[in-house]
Amino acid sequence: MLKKNILQTIFSDHFEYIQYVIRPDKNVLDNINRMILCHDPSYGGAFFGCPHCGNLKFVPFSCKSRFCPSCGNVYNQKRAFRMSCKLVSCIHRHCVFTIPEELRIFFLKDHSLLNCLFHSVRDVILRMFFKLKNQSSKGHPEGFYVRAKPNLCSPDITIKYISRYLGRPVIATSRMDAYDGDSVTFHYQRHEDHKTITECIPAIDFIKRLILHIPDKHFKMVRYYGIYAKHHKQEKNLRKCLSKQK
């Protein structure tokens, strides 16, 4: 059996506690279980043979869970390629919308509110760019914190940033520095001052933090609006106005 990565080890060591004490919903538990068993040869695999030398290689099946570090990375690459085929090759403005801390508890309890969030962000953007023109907005009366400084970027940078959050755990295994069976030590870069912060917390608390970010089944992590909308009636006409390079 292949050696487990640090994330698989943490979750497999505490799986019974997760299942019977934390008791997450079926979708979360299924993603955790699949991640733990990823590339486990006892669950089957496929043989690949060389047509020249005849050597065979057995490759265990992957879990294809976006919560899995390795499978999530593959998903990111495929998703990034599909996005690159869709985005127009021109400068994009990157805006980050966050929910006030006082309201986050409601989104954690009811994930369906995230659908309303997408539509609300769309409405805010329409106001920002079609009514306020070039003004930057630091806040919004409907309850959003908007970071809209003039950080313009190419499609490649946009895709790279977005794809990081689409199909992998919220923290990479390379940032998990140590695990002793009870506690997990990890590091991250603080956005405010770009300082590297190291934390050591109980493994159960670490697990609780991570599973909060497992999306509901069939939840769409990326939404397209405006010219990028799938059935936008003006999409073809707008694209005709762009140069072939774009």
Side-chain angles (χ1 to χ4, degrees):
M1 183 176 177
L2 295 176
K3 183 180 179 180
K4 292 182 177 180
N5 60 51
I6 187 171
L7 191 66
Q8 288 176 312
T9 302
I10 293 170
F11 276 82
S12 59
D13 287 352
H14 299 86
F15 186 74
E16 289 189 358
Y17 186 93
I18 298 169
Q19 186 174 12
Y20 298 112
V21 180
I22 299 178
R23 300 178 65 184
D25 63 40
K26 182 181 178 182
N27 172 63
V28 172
L29 197 62
D30 177 62
N31 274 274
I32 293 172
N33 191 49
R34 287 161 57 192
M35 181 271 294
I36 292 174
L37 300 176
C38 185
H39 290 115
D40 187 337
S42 63
Y43 285 85
F47 275 103
F48 293 88
C50 177
H52 303 290
C53 66
N55 287 337
L56 296 175
K57 182 178 181 180
F58 178 76
V59 179
F61 290 135
S62 61
C63 67
K64 296 181 174 59
S65 168
R66 286 186 289 176
F67 188 61
C68 175
S70 58
C71 294
N73 186 49
V74 173
Y75 174 85
N76 282 348
Q77 293 175 3
K78 292 181 178 179
R79 185 77 192 204
F81 174 75
R82 290 196 293 268
M83 290 174 64
S84 67
C85 296
K86 189 176 183 70
L87 292 189
V88 177
S89 181
C90 64
I91 297 299
H92 288 64
R93 180 181 290 274
H94 180 196
C95 300
V96 178
F97 292 78
T98 59
I99 305 168
E101 187 175 354
E102 298 83 0
L103 300 178
R104 292 172 190 172
I105 185 66
F106 299 104
F107 286 84
L108 291 174
K109 290 182 177 179
D110 185 2
H111 290 177
S112 66
L113 291 175
L114 292 171
N115 292 311
C116 301
L117 176 63
F118 275 100
H119 296 304
S120 299
V121 169
R122 176 201 59 189
D123 294 340
V124 171
I125 290 177
L126 289 176
R127 293 191 185 98
M128 286 172 60
F129 291 96
F130 291 98
K131 291 185 179 181
L132 301 180
K133 299 296 184 181
N134 296 323
Q135 295 180 11
S136 295
S137 175
K138 295 183 178 180
H140 196 271
E142 278 74 11
F144 288 108
Y145 293 135
V146 184
R147 182 178 175 82
K149 67 178 184 179
N151 49 342
L152 305 179
C153 51
S154 66
D156 291 339
I157 296 176
T158 304
I159 292 171
K160 183 178 179 181
Y161 180 87
I162 295 175
S163 63
R164 286 168 52 194
Y165 299 94
L166 292 181
R168 68 175 190 183
V170 291
I171 182 171
T173 53
S174 59
R175 296 183 182 273
M176 303 176 199
D177 303 315
Y179 168 62
D180 60 7
D182 297 313
S183 301
V184 180
T185 302
F186 61 95
H187 69 275
Y188 61 92
Q189 189 178 67
R190 190 163 55 194
H191 293 293
E192 293 80 6
D193 54 10
H194 303 290
K195 184 179 179 181
T196 299
I197 306 298
T198 300
E199 287 191 40
C200 182
I201 62 175
I204 295 300
D205 292 342
F206 181 78
I207 288 170
K208 289 179 179 179
R209 288 190 188 185
L210 261 61
I211 63 177
L212 282 175
H213 299 275
I214 297 178
D216 292 341
K217 194 173 183 179
H218 304 308
F219 179 77
K220 293 182 179 180
M221 300 286 287
V222 178
R223 315 286 176 95
Y224 295 97
Y225 297 98
I227 188 175
Y228 292 130
K230 190 173 183 180
H231 301 294
H232 194 287
K233 61 182 179 180
Q234 298 295 334
E235 179 179 4
K236 292 183 179 179
N237 293 331
L238 287 170
R239 288 183 178 272
K240 287 180 181 179
C241 298
L242 300 171
S243 66
K244 293 183 178 180
Q245 288 76 16
K246 296 185 178 183

